[in-house]
Structures are given as structure tokens and as C-alpha cells.
Amino acid sequence: MSESTAARLLSLNQQAIAIVGLNIPLDFGLGSETAERLRELNERLLVDVGRDLSPDALLEKHDLPERYRAIARMLLASDDPVPVFESIAIQQLDREATAGPLRQAIKEPLVVAGLAYLGMIIFCTLSVPSIETQYTQQGLTPSGVTGWLIAIRGAMPYWIIGFPILMIACWWIWRKLVNGPLLSLFPGGTAYSRWLAAESQSRRLAVLITSGVDQETALSLASTSVSPQLPIRPIAENIVRNGAPQSQARALSRLAGFYHFLAGDRRQTFVTKLPAFIGLLFAGLIVLGYGLATFLPWIAILQTEGAMEVLNR
């Protein structure tokens, strides 16, 4: 007696929970608590284990995200779920590897800004009063950078508390953006995501074709189960429709490897180097601003004293 659809899906969910338990990410569109959501779904599936339901009827019965439905249809249609799980994990791991340089980009500016913050506290406490005294003794009105520093010293009770809060807020917002839309804002980020999706599509097509799934169903499942959802690329579609049956899976696997190479090249060229350069640029600007704020007031005092000496001769 063949296993029911609900029993098969329950078993596949158990396998996915075990994989997630090994800290291998699987994005089923269920949110951050994938394992917990799958356990809840399995509890609901128990009542359907003895029923003869088609995959579509079973999935329609439960309120599930569209991405999970597409992946579940593909898992139920394939003979071997491991390559499907692998294709999901590879895409997610590549995205997490890409997020690393983006997270790193904010660290250098924050560290430098923190050191500048401590230096400004010391500078405003020890040096700015001396600068202000020099201007008072000479009967001059502070202006430019000096006036700005005196104003900052007067506002110390506010920014001593506010600046750390601002740094924490910047760090938190940046991390949220890294896990969301930030990648698409970088040059090459959108193309990188598309290459990863094309790689996953090719891997899943290879599994489905090997499992004997018909062409139209395989193309539909592979197209809707990736994120972002994209049409199947012409090369992969041509292999599915016109390729020799004995070599289709091998050709699709090689095509997936080629897409993986293109995605890696795009990541190395744009996503890895550009954020590091931007972070270094901001850190350099902070150092430059702090250096100018430190030396320009003293230079102005020396210039004023020099001018007064010339007038007194």
C-alpha cells in the first residue's frame, strides 16, 4: 500500500527539521522559526495521514505561504528530496555569505566614530576651555570651527547620551537592511540574486527531470519555488524541452555550476569590495573631520597672534 500524501509530506518536514537542527538554513517562506512552524504543520497534517488527497488538495486545505507550497509540491514530486534541500540551502548560504561584507562595512565607521566620540569628550573637557580663554584674553569673537567647538562643548550633556544611542540605532537599522533590501541597492546586487535563483532553478529542474516529472510541471515548480521568482531562463528551458533524456540532468547540473560561477564573480566584484570601500571612506571622513576640529582652532589663534605682533611693530 502506497504512503499517503500527508504521510510523505510529514516525513519530508521531519527531514527538513533535522537539517535545520544542524544549523543549515532552509528558507521555506515560514519566517525565522522554520523548525517550529514545520512542527506545528506536522501536528495539523496528522489528521490527513489516512486520507487519499492529492498534493494540491492537501496544500490548499492548510493556510500556508506560497513559497512553502511550491517547495512542498516539488519535494512530493521528486524521488530524492536531498538535492532539493541542497539547492535551497546553497542559495541561502550564498546569501548569508554575501551579507557578511555588508555587515562588516558598518563596523569600521562605528569603531572610528566611537574613538572620535571619546576623543571629543576629552578635547571638549581639556582643550576647548583653553581655546575659549585665549579668544577672551585677546578680545576676539570665536567664529568658524572654534565657534562650532564651543557650541558643541555647551551641548555636551545632550550628545554624551545621544551619540551612543544614535550609534546603536545605526547599527540596528543597518543589520535590518542587510537582511532585507540592502543588497539590491548595490551595483550588481540584483544580478547576483538573479544568478543565484537561476542556479537553484537549474538544480531543481535536474532533480525533477530525473524523477520523471513531466516537462510543464517541472518548469512550473522550478519557477515558483525560488526567491525572487523568475521565469525559467531560455537555456534551461531549451534543455528541458529539447535535450536528450539521458543527458538532461547532467546538462542542467553543469548549467547550475555555470550560474554559480557567475554569481560568485558578481559577488566578488561588487558586493565584497564596494561595501568595504564605502566603510573605509566614511571612517576616513570621520578621522579627517576630527583632525580638522582639533587643529584648526589653534592655527587660527596662532594666525591672530602673528597678525597682532605685526601690527604692534
Side-chain angles (χ1 to χ4, degrees), residues 193-297:
S193 297
R194 289 177 178 273
W195 289 130
L196 285 183
E199 176 194 355
S200 292
Q201 286 176 340
S202 299
R203 291 184 186 279
R204 294 170 194 184
L205 281 172
V207 175
L208 294 170
I209 293 299
T210 303
S211 300
V213 178
D214 66 272
Q215 294 178 0
E216 296 303 326
T217 302
L219 291 170
S220 176
L221 290 175
S223 175
T224 57
S225 63
V226 298
S227 179
Q229 288 191 10
L230 298 170
I232 299 295
R233 290 186 174 268
I235 298 176
E237 184 175 358
N238 182 63
I239 293 173
V240 172
R241 295 188 184 280
N242 304 315
Q246 65 273 17
S247 63
Q248 282 178 320
R250 185 171 65 254
L252 288 167
S253 297
R254 289 178 177 176
L255 182 62
F258 177 63
Y259 287 144
H260 184 78
F261 164 77
L262 293 176
D265 178 71
R266 187 69 58 171
R267 180 178 67 186
Q268 182 65 27
T269 303
F270 293 100
V271 183
T272 302
K273 296 179 180 178
L274 186 59
F277 173 76
I278 294 175
L280 184 61
L281 178 62
F282 274 103
L285 290 174
I286 292 171
V287 172
L288 176 63
Y290 181 76
L292 292 175
T294 303
F295 292 105
L296 284 180

Side-chain angles (χ1 to χ4, degrees), residues 82 117 179 188 198 224 244 281 300-301:
V82 174
Y117 165 74
N179 296 327
T224 57
L281 178 62
I301 290 173

Side-chain angles (χ1 to χ4, degrees), residues 17-181:
I17 292 171
I19 293 172
V20 173
L22 297 174
N23 292 324
I24 299 174
L26 294 177
D27 181 12
F28 285 103
L30 299 174
S32 57
E33 300 295 332
T34 300
E36 186 61 32
R37 292 291 304 277
L38 288 173
R39 291 190 185 96
E40 294 174 1
L41 175 58
N42 279 352
E43 292 178 2
R44 287 184 281 160
L45 288 173
L46 287 173
V47 299
D48 299 316
V49 168
R51 299 178 182 177
D52 184 18
L53 296 173
S54 68
D56 288 340
L58 178 64
L59 295 171
E60 288 295 331
K61 182 181 177 182
H62 300 277
D63 184 20
L64 297 167
E66 184 59 35
R67 176 168 171 78
Y68 175 83
R69 292 184 186 186
I71 292 174
R73 289 188 184 98
M74 185 167 51
L75 287 168
L76 290 169
S78 62
D79 293 335
D80 183 5
V82 174
V84 179
F85 288 136
E86 182 184 11
S87 70
I88 300 170
I90 287 175
Q91 187 177 14
Q92 191 66 19
L93 287 170
D94 282 339
R95 285 179 176 172
E96 291 184 2
T98 303
L102 296 178
R103 294 192 187 99
Q104 188 68 28
I106 195 66
K107 291 183 180 179
E108 288 184 2
L110 287 180
V111 170
V112 174
L115 294 174
Y117 165 74
L118 295 176
M120 188 60 70
I121 292 175
I122 298 172
F123 186 63
C124 288
T125 303
L126 301 178
S127 297
V128 173
S130 300
I131 295 172
E132 190 174 5
T133 301
Q134 290 285 340
Y135 273 85
T136 302
Q137 290 176 350
Q138 296 178 10
L140 300 173
T141 301
S143 60
V145 176
T146 306
W148 178 71
L149 286 173
I150 293 172
I152 287 180
R153 182 176 182 274
M156 274 185 70
Y158 302 102
W159 61 261
I160 279 182
I161 298 173
F163 189 79
I165 296 175
L166 178 63
M167 288 181 64
I168 294 172
C170 289
W171 175 81
W172 183 81
I173 293 171
W174 185 266
R175 286 186 65 87
K176 288 292 183 182
L177 291 174
V178 165
N179 296 327

